[in-house]
Amino acid sequence: MGSLGELEYPVNDSLSNMGSNTNPLDPEEFRRQGHMVIDFIADYYKNIEKHPVLSQVEPGYLKKRLPTSAPYYPESIETILSDVQEHIVPGITHWQSPNYFAYFPSSGSIAGFLGEMLATGFNVVGFNWMSSPAATELESIVMDWLGQMLRLPKSFLFSGNGGGVLQGTTCEAILCTLVAARDRTLKNIGNDKIGKLVVYCSDQTHCAFKKAAQIAGIHPNNFRVIPTTLSSSFSMSPEALRKTIMADVDAGFVPIYLLATVGTTSTTAVDPLGPLCDVAKDYGMWVHVDAAYAGSICICPEFRHFIDGIEGASSFSFNAHKWFFTTLDCCCLWVKDPAALTKSLSTDPEYLKNKASESKQVVDYKDWQLALSRRFRSLKLWLVLRSYGVERLRGFLRSHVKMAKQFQAFVLADHRFEVVVPRNFATVCFRISPSALLATRNANKGPHHAVLSEIINISNDNNIGTTTRISTPPPPPPLKMVSVNDLNQKLMDSINGSGRAYLTHSVVDGIFLLRFAVGASLTEESHVVQAWNVVKEHADTMLSRYTSQSHF
């Protein structure tokens, strides 16, 4: 690679390695380089625990390491892989690390990886059936397979006049279904009434919905957010939804779309699908169920009840690239009425006309999504389903839940910590408890102790938004005020800064909580034990500083 700041590239660095063949897709050269890349990735997985989970680089680090322009002459794969190791790997947050417990998992697998390789190798652009029949037909088959595994109503399957499609992400799935719901309503009331359309969600709904509403032309003032509470585990209230809809209808607005969630991002809360769908049905609304994270686990019979009531919904989606061992990107979307999608999203230019499409006997997936071009995503999902089977996939998922239960048990056994909300799946929401800070304060009787400000800020049915404060004489000299939220923020930053584990957070009802999401494919029980030890060590240090009257 060229020197920093100057364009001093080696001349013909790789020509001798590549031989005289200059074809960029020479089979034998592909074989040679491909083996090297596979070995590189295998070694990366083997040694992944040697890297800090959260990248420790500073913003702009890479610009200081790479040349200011592309090389004029070819460079060898050996040189490039060396630079990947030296310059790229340090800037990666290692989502496949067994010590990765942040956000939600992006679980991989050998089958998912090799399926991606096959799809990339074929490099088809499967916008319609004719452009690659196998890509279209395999997708339809795989989506029915997966729908059967989830025990979705037949009305969501191709075998029951519904159907499934692989989108890139949930963001796309939400936007496509919202546009379909919008157009279905405007067809009846007139396009000039778009300013009257209203959509609904809870305050725990993913931010992707708000973006989708903006893109779809829903007026910002017509985006209704139903508040949730800790006492209801942040689940959307059907009663509050109905009350809000009734007020909108009385004011002349038109309700069109409800987004319900199974496994919210902050706390994995679950909305009551049956009662919510009943409310929406009374007003002719489209109901989309976003199970991006938790949908995977519903292939296990003991978790299927979380999507009870799905028969009343219009569409359902989950991300196979989150917790189903299928590499990014792969969002599975089912709809009861495919025609609603195609009426809004179809295009029919002359250069795409063909006898197969005109026969109406095939699926043209370009009309089920935003973009025209599309990848052969079904291939990797097919490999995952075939390589592991339903039984092993259930086993993988159950093992993650078991490990999450183990971590939860550690939290509950330590009086300094508390579980903030009930655990539904494989994510534990916890924090250092206010009582731990209070006990630490009481143990410190010196005149220069730190003042504990907001001990707790919780909501319940009878006492919403109450803040309890400890009244103490101001100590001389005044020290920095410390809140339970501040302390938990500092705890998380300290853990992540160590590189030994990576956790993320959320704030719900004024509570800053840490999220411990088990789901990385390489994670084993020993990693959960190690992660808890890291949490304890950093908590010990922080609480001891508080006891010794140190500033945070």
Side-chain angles (χ1 to χ4, degrees), residues 414-417 432-446 449-453 455 470 472 482 484 487 542-544 546-548:
D414 191 321
H415 68 276
R416 302 171 301 171
F417 291 87
I432 294 177
S433 69
S435 60
L437 277 179
L438 182 60
T440 305
R441 172 194 172 274
N442 290 337
N444 179 10
K445 301 298 183 180
H449 62 273
V451 176
L452 177 65
S453 68
I455 294 296
I470 300 299
T472 58
V482 178
V484 65
L487 185 64
M542 301 198 72
L543 290 173
S544 66
Y546 179 66
T547 302
S548 63

Short mmCIF file of all heavy atoms in Angstrom, two decimals, residues 414-417 432-446 449-453 455 470 472 482 484 487 542-544 546-548:
data_model
loop_
_atom_site.label_atom_id
_atom_site.label_comp_id
_atom_site.label_asym_id
_atom_site.label_seq_id
_atom_site.Cartn_x
_atom_site.Cartn_y
_atom_site.Cartn_z
N ASP A 414 -27.37 -10.99 43.20
CA ASP A 414 -26.52 -9.90 43.71
C ASP A 414 -27.43 -8.75 44.13
O ASP A 414 -28.07 -8.11 43.29
CB ASP A 414 -25.55 -9.45 42.62
CG ASP A 414 -24.47 -8.51 43.14
OD1 ASP A 414 -24.79 -7.65 44.00
OD2 ASP A 414 -23.32 -8.61 42.68
N HIS A 415 -27.49 -8.47 45.42
CA HIS A 415 -28.44 -7.49 45.94
C HIS A 415 -28.20 -6.07 45.41
O HIS A 415 -29.06 -5.21 45.51
CB HIS A 415 -28.38 -7.47 47.47
CG HIS A 415 -27.09 -6.92 48.01
ND1 HIS A 415 -25.96 -7.71 48.16
CD2 HIS A 415 -26.75 -5.68 48.42
CE1 HIS A 415 -24.98 -6.97 48.66
NE2 HIS A 415 -25.43 -5.74 48.82
N ARG A 416 -27.06 -5.84 44.81
CA ARG A 416 -26.76 -4.50 44.29
C ARG A 416 -27.42 -4.24 42.94
O ARG A 416 -27.46 -3.10 42.48
CB ARG A 416 -25.25 -4.31 44.15
CG ARG A 416 -24.47 -4.50 45.45
CD ARG A 416 -22.98 -4.51 45.19
NE ARG A 416 -22.62 -5.58 44.26
CZ ARG A 416 -21.41 -5.72 43.72
NH1 ARG A 416 -20.46 -4.85 43.99
NH2 ARG A 416 -21.17 -6.72 42.89
N PHE A 417 -27.91 -5.29 42.30
CA PHE A 417 -28.48 -5.18 40.96
C PHE A 417 -29.96 -5.53 40.98
O PHE A 417 -30.44 -6.19 41.89
CB PHE A 417 -27.75 -6.11 39.99
CG PHE A 417 -26.34 -5.70 39.69
CD1 PHE A 417 -25.29 -6.11 40.51
CD2 PHE A 417 -26.05 -4.90 38.59
CE1 PHE A 417 -23.98 -5.74 40.24
CE2 PHE A 417 -24.75 -4.52 38.31
CZ PHE A 417 -23.71 -4.94 39.14
N ILE A 432 -27.61 -1.37 38.17
CA ILE A 432 -27.33 -1.20 39.60
C ILE A 432 -28.56 -0.55 40.19
O ILE A 432 -29.07 0.43 39.67
CB ILE A 432 -26.09 -0.32 39.82
CG1 ILE A 432 -24.82 -1.02 39.30
CG2 ILE A 432 -25.94 0.03 41.29
CD1 ILE A 432 -23.57 -0.17 39.43
N SER A 433 -29.06 -1.10 41.28
CA SER A 433 -30.32 -0.63 41.82
C SER A 433 -30.15 0.63 42.66
O SER A 433 -29.07 0.88 43.21
CB SER A 433 -30.97 -1.72 42.68
OG SER A 433 -30.21 -1.92 43.87
N PRO A 434 -31.19 1.42 42.78
CA PRO A 434 -31.15 2.60 43.66
C PRO A 434 -30.83 2.24 45.10
O PRO A 434 -30.13 2.97 45.78
CB PRO A 434 -32.56 3.19 43.54
CG PRO A 434 -33.03 2.72 42.21
CD PRO A 434 -32.46 1.36 42.03
N SER A 435 -31.32 1.09 45.56
CA SER A 435 -31.05 0.68 46.94
C SER A 435 -29.57 0.43 47.17
O SER A 435 -29.07 0.64 48.28
CB SER A 435 -31.87 -0.57 47.28
OG SER A 435 -31.52 -1.65 46.42
N ALA A 436 -28.85 -0.01 46.12
CA ALA A 436 -27.40 -0.21 46.27
C ALA A 436 -26.70 1.11 46.50
O ALA A 436 -25.78 1.21 47.32
CB ALA A 436 -26.85 -0.91 45.04
N LEU A 437 -27.14 2.15 45.77
CA LEU A 437 -26.55 3.47 45.99
C LEU A 437 -26.89 4.00 47.37
O LEU A 437 -26.06 4.60 48.06
CB LEU A 437 -27.06 4.44 44.93
CG LEU A 437 -26.33 4.42 43.58
CD1 LEU A 437 -26.97 5.42 42.63
CD2 LEU A 437 -24.87 4.72 43.75
N LEU A 438 -28.11 3.78 47.79
CA LEU A 438 -28.53 4.26 49.10
C LEU A 438 -27.74 3.56 50.20
O LEU A 438 -27.30 4.19 51.17
CB LEU A 438 -30.03 4.01 49.29
CG LEU A 438 -30.63 4.50 50.62
CD1 LEU A 438 -30.44 6.00 50.75
CD2 LEU A 438 -32.11 4.15 50.67
N ALA A 439 -27.54 2.25 50.06
CA ALA A 439 -26.78 1.50 51.05
C ALA A 439 -25.34 1.99 51.09
O ALA A 439 -24.73 2.11 52.16
CB ALA A 439 -26.83 0.02 50.73
N THR A 440 -24.78 2.28 49.91
CA THR A 440 -23.41 2.78 49.85
C THR A 440 -23.31 4.13 50.52
O THR A 440 -22.36 4.42 51.25
CB THR A 440 -22.96 2.88 48.38
OG1 THR A 440 -23.12 1.61 47.76
CG2 THR A 440 -21.51 3.30 48.29
N ARG A 441 -24.31 4.97 50.30
CA ARG A 441 -24.31 6.29 50.92
C ARG A 441 -24.36 6.18 52.45
O ARG A 441 -23.65 6.85 53.17
CB ARG A 441 -25.50 7.10 50.42
CG ARG A 441 -25.66 8.42 51.17
CD ARG A 441 -27.02 9.04 50.90
NE ARG A 441 -27.19 10.18 51.79
CZ ARG A 441 -27.67 10.10 53.02
NH1 ARG A 441 -28.00 8.92 53.51
NH2 ARG A 441 -27.80 11.18 53.77
N ASN A 442 -25.23 5.28 52.93
CA ASN A 442 -25.37 5.13 54.37
C ASN A 442 -24.10 4.59 55.01
O ASN A 442 -23.83 4.84 56.18
CB ASN A 442 -26.55 4.22 54.70
CG ASN A 442 -27.88 4.88 54.38
OD1 ASN A 442 -27.96 6.11 54.33
ND2 ASN A 442 -28.91 4.07 54.15
N ALA A 443 -23.33 3.82 54.23
CA ALA A 443 -22.08 3.28 54.75
C ALA A 443 -21.00 4.34 54.83
O ALA A 443 -19.97 4.16 55.48
CB ALA A 443 -21.60 2.13 53.86
N ASN A 444 -21.24 5.46 54.17
CA ASN A 444 -20.25 6.53 54.14
C ASN A 444 -20.77 7.69 54.97
O ASN A 444 -21.60 8.45 54.55
CB ASN A 444 -20.03 6.96 52.67
CG ASN A 444 -19.04 8.10 52.56
OD1 ASN A 444 -18.38 8.45 53.53
ND2 ASN A 444 -18.97 8.67 51.38
N LYS A 445 -20.27 7.81 56.19
CA LYS A 445 -20.78 8.82 57.12
C LYS A 445 -19.90 10.06 57.21
O LYS A 445 -20.14 10.95 58.01
CB LYS A 445 -20.91 8.21 58.52
CG LYS A 445 -21.83 6.99 58.58
CD LYS A 445 -23.24 7.35 58.18
CE LYS A 445 -24.18 6.16 58.32
NZ LYS A 445 -25.55 6.47 57.94
N GLY A 446 -18.82 10.12 56.38
CA GLY A 446 -17.92 11.26 56.46
C GLY A 446 -18.58 12.54 55.98
O GLY A 446 -19.58 12.52 55.28
N HIS A 449 -19.05 13.29 51.88
CA HIS A 449 -19.63 12.29 50.99
C HIS A 449 -20.35 12.97 49.82
O HIS A 449 -20.83 14.08 49.94
CB HIS A 449 -20.58 11.36 51.74
CG HIS A 449 -21.77 12.08 52.33
ND1 HIS A 449 -21.73 12.67 53.57
CD2 HIS A 449 -23.01 12.29 51.83
CE1 HIS A 449 -22.91 13.22 53.83
NE2 HIS A 449 -23.70 12.99 52.78
N ALA A 450 -20.42 12.23 48.70
CA ALA A 450 -21.15 12.74 47.54
C ALA A 450 -22.64 12.73 47.85
O ALA A 450 -23.13 11.94 48.62
CB ALA A 450 -20.85 11.87 46.31
N VAL A 451 -23.32 13.65 47.25
CA VAL A 451 -24.76 13.73 47.45
C VAL A 451 -25.44 12.85 46.41
O VAL A 451 -25.15 12.93 45.22
CB VAL A 451 -25.25 15.19 47.28
CG1 VAL A 451 -26.77 15.25 47.39
CG2 VAL A 451 -24.61 16.05 48.35
N LEU A 452 -26.34 12.03 46.88
CA LEU A 452 -27.11 11.20 45.97
C LEU A 452 -28.33 11.98 45.53
O LEU A 452 -29.20 12.28 46.33
CB LEU A 452 -27.52 9.90 46.69
CG LEU A 452 -28.39 8.94 45.90
CD1 LEU A 452 -27.61 8.42 44.70
CD2 LEU A 452 -28.85 7.79 46.77
N SER A 453 -28.36 12.34 44.25
CA SER A 453 -29.56 13.04 43.76
C SER A 453 -30.57 12.00 43.34
O SER A 453 -30.78 11.06 44.06
CB SER A 453 -29.21 14.00 42.64
OG SER A 453 -28.80 13.32 41.50
N ILE A 455 -32.63 9.22 43.17
CA ILE A 455 -32.45 7.82 43.50
C ILE A 455 -33.19 6.94 42.52
O ILE A 455 -32.69 5.95 42.04
CB ILE A 455 -32.96 7.55 44.94
CG1 ILE A 455 -32.09 8.30 45.95
CG2 ILE A 455 -32.92 6.06 45.25
CD1 ILE A 455 -30.68 7.83 45.97
N ILE A 470 -33.17 12.04 48.51
CA ILE A 470 -32.61 11.93 49.85
C ILE A 470 -32.22 13.34 50.30
O ILE A 470 -31.44 14.02 49.64
CB ILE A 470 -31.37 11.02 49.86
CG1 ILE A 470 -31.76 9.62 49.40
CG2 ILE A 470 -30.75 10.99 51.24
CD1 ILE A 470 -32.79 8.96 50.27
N THR A 472 -30.23 15.70 52.49
CA THR A 472 -29.05 15.74 53.35
C THR A 472 -28.49 17.15 53.35
O THR A 472 -28.61 17.87 52.36
CB THR A 472 -27.96 14.78 52.84
OG1 THR A 472 -27.61 15.15 51.51
CG2 THR A 472 -28.43 13.33 52.85
N VAL A 482 -24.60 12.65 42.10
CA VAL A 482 -24.58 11.37 41.43
C VAL A 482 -25.97 10.78 41.39
O VAL A 482 -26.64 10.70 42.41
CB VAL A 482 -23.62 10.39 42.15
CG1 VAL A 482 -23.64 9.03 41.47
CG2 VAL A 482 -22.22 10.96 42.19
N VAL A 484 -28.58 7.47 39.96
CA VAL A 484 -28.50 6.06 39.60
C VAL A 484 -28.33 5.91 38.10
O VAL A 484 -27.63 5.00 37.63
CB VAL A 484 -29.74 5.31 40.13
CG1 VAL A 484 -31.01 5.78 39.44
CG2 VAL A 484 -29.58 3.80 39.96
N LEU A 487 -24.69 6.60 37.25
CA LEU A 487 -23.83 5.50 37.66
C LEU A 487 -23.90 4.34 36.67
O LEU A 487 -22.88 3.75 36.30
CB LEU A 487 -24.21 5.02 39.06
CG LEU A 487 -23.29 3.93 39.64
CD1 LEU A 487 -21.89 4.47 39.85
CD2 LEU A 487 -23.85 3.39 40.93
N MET A 542 -16.59 0.97 40.86
CA MET A 542 -17.35 2.21 40.86
C MET A 542 -18.01 2.47 42.21
O MET A 542 -17.99 3.59 42.73
CB MET A 542 -18.38 2.20 39.75
CG MET A 542 -17.77 2.01 38.38
SD MET A 542 -18.87 2.49 37.04
CE MET A 542 -18.82 4.24 37.22
N LEU A 543 -18.56 1.45 42.79
CA LEU A 543 -19.22 1.64 44.09
C LEU A 543 -18.21 1.90 45.20
O LEU A 543 -18.49 2.64 46.13
CB LEU A 543 -20.08 0.41 44.42
CG LEU A 543 -21.33 0.24 43.54
CD1 LEU A 543 -22.01 -1.10 43.83
CD2 LEU A 543 -22.31 1.39 43.76
N SER A 544 -17.01 1.31 45.08
CA SER A 544 -15.99 1.58 46.09
C SER A 544 -15.50 3.02 45.99
O SER A 544 -15.19 3.66 46.99
CB SER A 544 -14.81 0.61 45.92
OG SER A 544 -14.13 0.83 44.70
N TYR A 546 -17.39 5.47 45.13
CA TYR A 546 -18.43 6.25 45.76
C TYR A 546 -18.30 6.20 47.27
O TYR A 546 -18.42 7.22 47.97
CB TYR A 546 -19.80 5.71 45.33
CG TYR A 546 -20.96 6.44 45.95
CD1 TYR A 546 -21.19 7.78 45.63
CD2 TYR A 546 -21.80 5.81 46.85
CE1 TYR A 546 -22.25 8.45 46.20
CE2 TYR A 546 -22.85 6.48 47.42
CZ TYR A 546 -23.08 7.80 47.10
OH TYR A 546 -24.12 8.46 47.67
N THR A 547 -17.99 5.02 47.80
CA THR A 547 -17.83 4.86 49.25
C THR A 547 -16.67 5.69 49.76
O THR A 547 -16.72 6.26 50.85
CB THR A 547 -17.61 3.37 49.59
OG1 THR A 547 -18.72 2.62 49.11
CG2 THR A 547 -17.49 3.17 51.08
N SER A 548 -15.61 5.76 48.96
CA SER A 548 -14.42 6.52 49.41
C SER A 548 -14.51 7.99 49.07
O SER A 548 -13.52 8.71 49.12
CB SER A 548 -13.17 5.92 48.76
OG SER A 548 -13.23 6.05 47.35
#
